[in-house]
């Protein structure tokens, strides 16, 4: 959502309360977490607004791009969940949305009768490219951050992702 | 959620696809945004798990702390929405949850008959402090990031928050 502009930074005000009651260390950690929560909210609002003309939300866009880039144009739903690191029920909802929009369809697995695949349709590929052009042109909602800031941000977040066991040996 | 460990970093794989089809600039922006989305998910899972024994979610915790720190121990619901930068309906749900848990109650506004205040109860103050001790002890879920990384991260995210018009003159 577009927020109302406050005359002060609410995150910095929270920092002052934390430093007064607890430690500078705890304040630093709380500020980082609260900042990520708010920036996530800002980005979701910006991206969903850009994607709305394509009948997409950001989670649907991510799943569509995964299929777009897959070697066969199709993936088992379980694998989509692993790759996007979301629950099975979220994948089902996301693929339902893409199917209703006519961008993917479900097909049976060739050898595993219990598995279902999602396959991207030609219209899905067209929308994937068109939506990406729009997101790229809007810098994925990251304005006003500069290249160096984005790279440092991603590197720091990668350390946290690795620490959480998302990937690695 | 705790994800399954992938043998490769899915965000870096997406970067390679972006660089091959589009620009390095767009790839950098997509990587930053995708990293924030995933880290938000990791942090929410960690924090909600820590807060679960207190019947709190992170949004409820944020609202409870706002009341805990307010000069009168109470705030109009509209002001809570402004400060947490969330929609009116989210505030209603959040305060409903805190009220059911016996941590706050609703009271009428002294002068504005249309406005409703949420007031923190003594049990709410006790839980606010106890939950904060737990979050502080767990570094707010930010492990393994170091102090300098957290400060740089917060400064960069503050640039984006300011750019989005969250605060300022």
């Amino acid at each position: 959502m577009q927020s109302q502009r406050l005359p002060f930074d609410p995150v910095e005000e929270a920092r002052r309360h934390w430093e007064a009651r607890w430690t500078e260390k705890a304040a630093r950690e709380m500020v980082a977490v609260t900042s990520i929560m708010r920036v996530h909210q800002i980005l979701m609002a910006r991206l969903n607004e850009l994607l709305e003309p394509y009948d997409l939300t950001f989670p649907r866009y991510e799943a569509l791009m995964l299929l777009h880039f897959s070697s066969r144009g199709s993936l088992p739903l379980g694998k989509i969940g692993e790759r996007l690191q979301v629950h099975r029920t979220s994948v089902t909802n996301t693929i339902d949305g893409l199917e209703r929009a006519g961008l993917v369809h479900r097909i049976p697995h060739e050898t595993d009768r219990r598995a279902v695949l999602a396959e991207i349709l030609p219209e899905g590929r067209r929308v994937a490219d068109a939506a990406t052009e729009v997101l790229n042109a809007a810098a994925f909602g990251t304005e006003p951050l500069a290249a160096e800031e984005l790279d440092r941000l991603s590197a720091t977040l990668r350390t946290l992702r690795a620490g959480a066991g998302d990937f690695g040996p």
Side-chain angles (χ1 to χ4, degrees), chain A:
Chain A
M1 67 177 290
Q2 181 54 50
S3 69
Q4 281 185 264
R5 185 185 294 264
L6 292 168
F8 56 90
D9 179 355
V11 178
E12 288 303 319
E13 177 160 295
R15 186 202 295 274
R16 283 188 293 276
H17 284 295
W18 242 259
E19 288 181 346
R21 286 191 181 227
W22 296 292
T23 64
E24 203 182 318
K25 175 181 178 294
R28 167 184 292 125
E29 294 154 354
M30 179 280 299
V31 163
V33 166
T34 308
S35 301
I36 289 169
M37 299 295 178
R38 175 59 186 153
V39 166
H40 173 263
Q41 196 178 29
I42 292 168
L43 291 174
M44 285 298 267
R46 288 178 174 177
L47 296 169
N48 285 336
E49 191 179 335
L50 292 166
L51 291 170
E52 203 272 329
Y54 301 97
D55 216 356
L56 290 173
T57 58
F58 195 68
R60 285 186 205 167
Y61 171 76
E62 283 188 294
L64 188 67
M65 294 311 288
L66 191 61
L67 291 168
H68 193 35
F69 287 143
S70 66
S71 51
R72 294 161 171 252
S74 66
L75 287 169
L77 265 58
K79 179 142 284 197
I80 295 173
E82 279 175 32
R83 286 295 304 277
L84 299 180
Q85 307 180 299
V86 296
H87 277 291
R88 179 72 200 219
T89 46
S90 297
V91 177
T92 301
N93 288 337
T94 300
I95 299 300
D96 284 350
L98 291 171
E99 202 161 21
R100 274 196 307 274
L103 306 180
V104 311
H105 66 165
R106 282 176 165 86
I107 56 173
H109 194 285
E110 282 182 22
T111 53
D112 180 356
R113 288 199 314 174
R114 290 163 311 172
V116 175
L117 308 181
E119 184 175 60
I120 191 165
L121 295 167
E123 175 67 4
R125 292 196 186 273
R126 199 192 63 73
V127 166
D129 283 326
T132 301
E133 295 294 343
V134 168
L135 296 188
N136 287 349
F140 261 77
T142 60
E143 284 166 1
L145 300 186
E148 198 201 356
E149 289 174 306
L150 292 170
D151 284 345
R152 267 204 322 234
L153 182 69
S154 298
T156 299
L157 297 175
R158 189 169 196 271
T159 302
L160 195 146
R161 293 190 296 111
D166 275 9
F167 58 88

